[in-house]
Amino acid sequence: MNLIHKIEHWGDTHHPQWIDYLRIAVGFLILIKGMSFVGDLDQVSSLVQQVNYTFYIWGGVHYIVFAQIVGGMFIIFGFQTRLACLVLLPILFGAVFFVNLTHGFSFLNGELWLSIVVLLLLILFLVMGSGKYSLDNLMNRPGYERKI
């Protein structure tokens, strides 16, 4: 058993019920943030331009919006939670270290603290997985037959 399988097994066996509710709340938060970006794509474009990388700005904007909406829904329903967290980690990493940290490291910078908390929770869910109240758990039950 390699290291990744050991981490997945530990996360699946040590998963309290309250973490599922926390996963759902974080999923809603990410989904709402993605939906707010849909309403104001110029704001997202200016945030991406602050990073000062010369990649396609609108490609980055659409990646951020799409990943937050779809990743938020996946996290809410507990469907491929680890994959959704892996896709969302670069977005939150950029939000913490490149966008929000430039506004100052103070208690008044609420976006920075929210981004840090969500980043840490995504790392937690990457290790812990979906939990008992999830589509992943429902599909892994005995008697559930996948039709391909």
Side-chain angles (χ1 to χ4, degrees), residues 23-84:
R23 173 186 50 84
I24 293 168
V26 168
F28 273 117
L29 183 67
I30 292 171
L31 177 67
I32 289 170
K33 189 67 171 176
M35 303 261 300
S36 73
F37 283 156
V38 169
D40 194 8
L41 289 177
D42 293 333
Q43 176 192 6
V44 182
S45 176
S46 68
L47 289 174
V48 172
Q49 287 174 348
Q50 287 179 6
V51 178
N52 293 327
Y53 288 127
T54 57
F55 64 94
Y56 296 109
I57 298 297
W58 285 108
V61 168
H62 286 91
Y63 167 72
I64 290 170
V65 171
F66 179 78
Q68 285 191 334
I69 291 174
V70 173
M73 287 192 298
F74 276 25
I75 291 172
I76 290 169
F77 293 120
F79 179 70
Q80 299 295 321
T81 303
R82 289 185 172 116
L83 177 64

XYZ file of all heavy atoms in Angstrom, residues 23-84:
492
model
N -17.999 20.241 5.529
C -17.753 20.091 4.095
C -18.872 20.719 3.280
O -18.625 21.436 2.311
C -17.601 18.606 3.736
C -17.521 18.356 2.239
C -17.509 16.876 1.911
N -18.542 16.090 2.533
C -19.788 15.945 2.059
N -20.159 16.565 0.959
N -20.656 15.198 2.680
N -20.099 20.497 3.684
C -21.245 21.058 2.965
C -21.235 22.580 3.061
O -21.480 23.278 2.071
C -22.555 20.452 3.509
C -22.618 18.963 3.162
C -23.769 21.191 2.969
C -23.706 18.194 3.873
N -20.926 23.123 4.233
C -20.880 24.583 4.403
C -19.776 25.207 3.548
O -19.990 26.248 2.914
C -20.680 24.927 5.871
N -18.613 24.582 3.516
C -17.514 25.101 2.691
C -17.873 25.001 1.214
O -17.561 25.904 0.431
C -16.200 24.353 3.003
C -15.127 24.660 1.985
C -15.730 24.704 4.386
N -18.545 23.933 0.832
C -18.991 23.807 -0.555
C -19.947 24.924 -0.956
O -19.833 25.496 -2.040
N -20.890 25.249 -0.060
C -21.802 26.369 -0.326
C -21.045 27.686 -0.423
O -21.342 28.526 -1.279
C -22.891 26.463 0.743
C -24.100 25.625 0.463
C -24.447 24.595 1.324
C -24.888 25.863 -0.641
C -25.564 23.817 1.073
C -26.008 25.097 -0.905
C -26.337 24.065 -0.046
N -20.076 27.875 0.437
C -19.284 29.108 0.406
C -18.529 29.250 -0.921
O -18.524 30.323 -1.533
C -18.310 29.119 1.584
C -17.458 30.354 1.755
C -18.335 31.535 2.137
C -16.406 30.105 2.801
N -17.921 28.172 -1.379
C -17.187 28.201 -2.649
C -18.146 28.407 -3.811
O -17.860 29.172 -4.740
C -16.368 26.906 -2.805
C -15.245 26.876 -1.773
C -15.803 26.780 -4.214
C -14.520 25.563 -1.684
N -19.300 27.746 -3.771
C -20.293 27.910 -4.835
C -20.806 29.343 -4.889
O -20.915 29.935 -5.977
C -21.458 26.940 -4.609
C -22.630 27.029 -5.596
C -22.188 26.588 -6.980
C -23.780 26.172 -5.110
N -21.097 29.936 -3.760
C -21.592 31.317 -3.725
C -20.528 32.278 -4.228
O -20.826 33.219 -4.968
C -22.061 31.670 -2.294
C -23.342 30.908 -1.983
C -22.263 33.165 -2.138
C -23.763 30.980 -0.530
N -19.270 32.042 -3.869
C -18.186 32.905 -4.349
C -18.045 32.779 -5.867
O -17.853 33.779 -6.561
C -16.872 32.528 -3.649
C -15.762 33.478 -3.914
C -16.048 34.817 -3.282
C -14.831 35.707 -3.369
N -15.079 37.035 -2.849
N -18.169 31.590 -6.398
C -18.124 31.400 -7.847
C -19.284 32.072 -8.553
O -19.116 32.672 -9.615
N -20.476 32.002 -7.947
C -21.639 32.647 -8.553
C -21.493 34.166 -8.494
O -21.955 34.864 -9.392
C -22.914 32.198 -7.848
C -23.114 30.717 -7.853
S -24.199 30.028 -9.054
C -25.714 30.742 -8.769
N -20.865 34.689 -7.438
C -20.661 36.137 -7.381
C -19.657 36.582 -8.436
O -19.758 37.688 -8.956
C -20.186 36.556 -5.990
O -18.856 36.179 -5.775
N -18.697 35.719 -8.774
C -17.756 36.045 -9.836
C -18.426 36.061 -11.205
O -18.022 36.811 -12.081
C -16.591 35.066 -9.855
C -15.566 35.315 -8.794
C -14.751 34.290 -8.359
C -15.401 36.561 -8.218
C -13.791 34.508 -7.385
C -14.454 36.790 -7.239
C -13.651 35.757 -6.829
N -19.461 35.235 -11.388
C -20.197 35.245 -12.660
C -20.858 36.598 -12.868
O -20.886 37.131 -13.979
C -21.254 34.108 -12.687
C -22.195 34.262 -13.862
C -20.579 32.758 -12.751
N -21.364 37.174 -11.795
C -22.021 38.472 -11.888
C -21.060 39.612 -12.171
O -21.469 40.655 -12.676
N -19.777 39.427 -11.865
C -18.813 40.506 -12.053
C -17.494 39.937 -12.562
O -16.521 39.819 -11.823
C -18.603 41.242 -10.732
C -17.879 42.563 -10.911
O -17.679 42.986 -12.067
O -17.521 43.173 -9.900
N -17.444 39.572 -13.838
C -16.236 39.000 -14.425
C -15.103 40.013 -14.513
O -13.934 39.641 -14.548
C -16.540 38.425 -15.810
C -17.384 37.160 -15.829
C -17.672 36.716 -17.258
C -16.700 36.046 -15.078
N -15.436 41.301 -14.543
C -14.377 42.315 -14.561
C -13.584 42.307 -13.260
O -12.370 42.526 -13.257
C -14.969 43.708 -14.805
C -15.554 43.842 -16.198
O -15.070 43.123 -17.100
O -16.483 44.655 -16.378
N -14.258 42.048 -12.137
C -13.568 41.957 -10.852
C -12.601 40.784 -10.861
O -11.464 40.906 -10.407
C -14.572 41.799 -9.713
C -13.911 41.606 -8.358
C -14.887 41.162 -7.282
O -16.048 40.891 -7.562
N -14.412 41.060 -6.060
N -13.036 39.646 -11.398
C -12.164 38.479 -11.462
C -10.981 38.756 -12.374
O -9.842 38.398 -12.070
C -12.946 37.238 -11.951
C -12.049 36.018 -11.977
C -14.142 36.975 -11.081
N -11.236 39.427 -13.480
C -10.160 39.770 -14.404
C -9.127 40.672 -13.736
O -7.919 40.480 -13.902
C -10.735 40.460 -15.636
O -9.710 40.889 -16.489
N -9.576 41.640 -12.960
C -8.628 42.522 -12.275
C -7.859 41.762 -11.200
O -6.678 42.020 -10.971
C -9.350 43.724 -11.665
O -10.175 43.327 -10.606
N -8.505 40.783 -10.539
C -7.801 39.970 -9.555
C -6.726 39.110 -10.210
O -5.621 38.965 -9.687
C -8.781 39.082 -8.783
C -9.721 39.764 -7.802
C -10.710 38.760 -7.238
C -8.949 40.422 -6.691
N -7.052 38.552 -11.371
C -6.079 37.717 -12.080
C -4.940 38.577 -12.608
O -3.776 38.164 -12.589
C -6.773 36.922 -13.213
C -5.763 36.208 -14.074
C -7.763 35.928 -12.633
N -5.224 39.785 -13.040
C -4.167 40.673 -13.545
C -3.231 41.121 -12.439
O -2.074 41.444 -12.706
C -4.780 41.889 -14.242
C -5.385 41.557 -15.574
C -6.105 42.746 -16.191
O -6.335 43.747 -15.527
N -6.466 42.606 -17.453
N -3.676 41.134 -11.188
C -2.814 41.522 -10.073
C -1.678 40.529 -9.860
O -0.654 40.866 -9.299
C -3.616 41.632 -8.782
C -4.510 42.824 -8.703
C -5.296 42.832 -7.398
O -5.088 42.004 -6.528
N -6.219 43.773 -7.279
N -1.874 39.304 -10.303
C -0.868 38.273 -10.110
C 0.352 38.551 -10.995
O 1.456 38.112 -10.703
C -1.474 36.880 -10.398
C -0.454 35.787 -10.262
C -2.640 36.620 -9.473
N 0.179 39.305 -12.071
C 1.237 39.724 -12.983
C 1.870 38.573 -13.746
O 3.063 38.587 -14.032
C 2.330 40.511 -12.249
C 1.826 41.833 -11.734
O 0.975 42.453 -12.358
N 2.346 42.259 -10.597
N 1.103 37.554 -14.063
C 1.583 36.516 -14.955
C 1.064 36.804 -16.347
O -0.021 37.367 -16.525
C 1.100 35.125 -14.515
C 1.778 34.619 -13.278
C 1.042 34.187 -12.198
C 3.161 34.566 -13.197
C 1.660 33.717 -11.056
C 3.783 34.098 -12.060
C 3.029 33.679 -11.001
O 3.635 33.218 -9.881
N 1.807 36.405 -17.345
C 1.402 36.697 -18.720
C 0.755 35.455 -19.344
O 1.220 34.943 -20.348
C 2.609 37.145 -19.555
O 3.602 36.117 -19.489
C 3.179 38.446 -19.039
N -0.270 34.966 -18.761
C -1.046 33.911 -19.382
C -2.369 34.509 -19.836
O -2.660 35.665 -19.585
C -1.245 32.702 -18.445
C -2.054 33.003 -17.213
C -3.409 32.785 -17.190
C -1.441 33.482 -16.068
C -4.148 33.061 -16.060
C -2.172 33.761 -14.941
C -3.518 33.550 -14.929
N -3.132 33.745 -20.514
C -4.394 34.254 -21.038
C -5.329 34.578 -19.878
O -5.786 33.707 -19.156
C -5.033 33.228 -21.964
C -4.201 32.977 -23.186
C -3.525 31.780 -23.335
C -4.064 33.950 -24.166
C -2.750 31.543 -24.448
C -3.285 33.726 -25.279
C -2.630 32.521 -25.413
O -1.853 32.305 -26.508
N -5.604 35.860 -19.728
C -6.387 36.342 -18.594
C -7.781 35.725 -18.600
O -8.261 35.226 -17.580
C -6.469 37.882 -18.613
C -5.077 38.492 -18.481
C -7.388 38.393 -17.516
C -4.374 38.174 -17.189
N -8.447 35.735 -19.723
C -9.825 35.234 -19.749
C -9.881 33.719 -19.574
O -10.848 33.188 -19.040
C -10.543 35.670 -21.024
C -10.905 37.110 -20.925
C -10.342 38.152 -21.587
C -11.878 37.685 -20.047
N -10.892 39.338 -21.185
C -11.849 39.083 -20.248
C -12.763 37.175 -19.121
C -12.665 39.954 -19.552
C -13.578 38.049 -18.427
C -13.526 39.416 -18.654
N -8.843 33.025 -19.993
C -8.777 31.590 -19.714
C -8.695 31.338 -18.218
O -9.354 30.450 -17.682
N -7.874 32.146 -17.541
C -7.770 32.028 -16.089
C -9.055 32.393 -15.385
O -9.458 31.754 -14.412
N -9.722 33.438 -15.896
C -10.991 33.863 -15.300
C -12.034 32.759 -15.425
O -12.727 32.414 -14.457
C -11.493 35.164 -15.967
C -12.924 35.463 -15.567
C -10.583 36.325 -15.606
N -12.140 32.171 -16.598
C -13.137 31.124 -16.793
C -12.784 29.861 -16.006
O -13.676 29.159 -15.527
C -13.301 30.830 -18.274
C -14.061 31.901 -18.991
N -13.430 32.970 -19.579
C -15.386 32.089 -19.172
C -14.339 33.773 -20.114
N -15.538 33.259 -19.872
N -11.503 29.565 -15.881
C -11.098 28.424 -15.053
C -11.513 28.649 -13.605
O -12.055 27.754 -12.959
C -9.587 28.197 -15.143
C -9.057 27.261 -14.098
C -9.318 25.893 -14.161
C -8.314 27.725 -13.017
C -8.851 25.029 -13.198
C -7.843 26.871 -12.044
C -8.104 25.522 -12.139
O -7.651 24.667 -11.178
N -11.265 29.841 -13.092
C -11.587 30.139 -11.693
C -13.085 30.031 -11.453
O -13.542 29.388 -10.499
C -11.052 31.530 -11.303
C -9.533 31.506 -11.237
C -11.639 31.995 -9.976
C -8.902 32.872 -11.101
N -13.875 30.644 -12.327
C -15.329 30.639 -12.147
C -15.887 29.225 -12.289
O -16.672 28.764 -11.451
C -15.996 31.610 -13.140
C -17.494 31.451 -13.131
C -15.600 33.046 -12.829
N -15.474 28.508 -13.336
C -15.982 27.153 -13.568
C -15.573 26.215 -12.435
O -16.396 25.440 -11.930
C -15.464 26.617 -14.909
C -15.921 25.228 -15.220
C -17.210 25.001 -15.681
C -15.072 24.153 -15.052
C -17.641 23.714 -15.968
C -15.490 22.864 -15.330
C -16.769 22.649 -15.789
N -14.309 26.297 -12.016
C -13.834 25.401 -10.962
C -14.541 25.681 -9.641
O -14.844 24.745 -8.894
C -12.327 25.547 -10.791
N -14.830 26.944 -9.350
C -15.508 27.242 -8.092
C -16.959 26.799 -8.102
O -17.459 26.291 -7.100
C -15.399 28.720 -7.760
C -14.025 29.090 -7.275
C -13.971 30.482 -6.694
O -14.761 31.349 -7.042
N -13.027 30.696 -5.815
N -17.641 26.967 -9.223
C -19.049 26.547 -9.273
C -19.163 25.025 -9.262
O -19.877 24.443 -8.438
C -19.751 27.159 -10.498
C -19.896 28.671 -10.308
C -21.115 26.516 -10.732
C -20.442 29.403 -11.497
N -18.437 24.361 -10.149
C -18.532 22.897 -10.226
C -17.885 22.251 -9.000
O -18.437 21.320 -8.415
C -17.894 22.390 -11.533
C -17.819 20.875 -11.565
C -18.680 22.897 -12.728
N -16.723 22.767 -8.591
C -16.067 22.219 -7.405
C -16.896 22.414 -6.149
O -16.946 21.536 -5.287
N -17.562 23.564 -6.027
C -18.443 23.796 -4.886
C -19.598 22.808 -4.851
O -19.929 22.267 -3.793
N -20.192 22.544 -6.019
C -21.294 21.563 -6.063
C -20.785 20.157 -5.749
O -21.453 19.396 -5.037
C -21.973 21.597 -7.428
C -22.828 22.820 -7.632
S -23.911 22.760 -9.069
C -22.759 22.638 -10.401
N -19.609 19.795 -6.273
C -19.048 18.478 -5.970
C -18.778 18.327 -4.475
O -19.034 17.271 -3.900
C -17.761 18.257 -6.759
C -17.969 17.757 -8.164
C -19.138 17.987 -8.852
C -16.968 17.060 -8.808
C -19.323 17.529 -10.139
C -17.136 16.596 -10.087
C -18.316 16.824 -10.762
N -18.269 19.376 -3.847
C -17.981 19.302 -2.414
C -19.276 19.238 -1.606
O -19.366 18.508 -0.625
C -17.088 20.486 -1.988
C -15.681 20.312 -2.590
C -16.992 20.592 -0.475
C -14.779 21.497 -2.401
N -20.286 19.991 -2.022
C -21.573 19.950 -1.310
C -22.154 18.541 -1.329
O -22.573 18.014 -0.303
C -22.578 20.936 -1.935
C -22.170 22.377 -1.656
C -24.000 20.678 -1.426
C -22.947 23.394 -2.462
N -22.170 17.918 -2.499
C -22.783 16.593 -2.634
C -21.838 15.463 -2.241
O -22.263 14.314 -2.149
C -23.284 16.378 -4.057
C -24.430 17.276 -4.413
C -24.324 18.173 -5.457
C -25.612 17.239 -3.702
C -25.367 19.010 -5.786
C -26.670 18.063 -4.015
C -26.545 18.954 -5.062
N -20.561 15.770 -2.016
C -19.613 14.728 -1.653
C -19.290 13.814 -2.813
O -19.037 12.629 -2.641
N -19.263 14.358 -3.987
C -18.959 13.580 -5.192
C -17.554 13.959 -5.651
O -17.303 15.107 -6.002
C -19.984 13.878 -6.292
C -19.724 13.131 -7.569
C -19.921 11.770 -7.621
C -19.277 13.790 -8.693
C -19.676 11.080 -8.792
C -19.050 13.121 -9.858
C -19.241 11.752 -9.912
N -16.645 12.997 -5.619
C -15.249 13.230 -6.006
C -14.669 14.424 -5.236
O -14.090 15.340 -5.819
C -15.140 13.447 -7.513
C -15.586 12.292 -8.353
C -14.706 11.067 -8.165
O -13.494 11.202 -8.051
N -15.307 9.901 -8.097
N -14.840 14.408 -3.936
C -14.426 15.525 -3.092
C -12.928 15.763 -3.164
O -12.482 16.907 -3.240
C -14.842 15.268 -1.635
O -16.258 15.064 -1.609
C -14.485 16.419 -0.736
N -12.162 14.707 -3.153
C -10.702 14.881 -3.205
C -10.271 15.512 -4.527
O -9.394 16.374 -4.545
C -10.012 13.546 -2.988
C -10.146 13.054 -1.558
C -9.342 11.787 -1.322
N -9.346 11.445 0.079
C -9.900 10.334 0.569
N -10.495 9.478 -0.236
N -9.852 10.104 1.871
N -10.878 15.105 -5.610
C -10.552 15.691 -6.912
C -10.960 17.167 -6.960
O -10.205 18.008 -7.450
C -11.250 14.919 -8.029
C -11.062 15.453 -9.441
C -9.602 15.357 -9.854
C -11.948 14.698 -10.410
N -12.135 17.489 -6.441
C -12.590 18.882 -6.417
C -11.658 19.739 -5.567
O -11.323 20.867 -5.946
C -14.026 18.951 -5.888
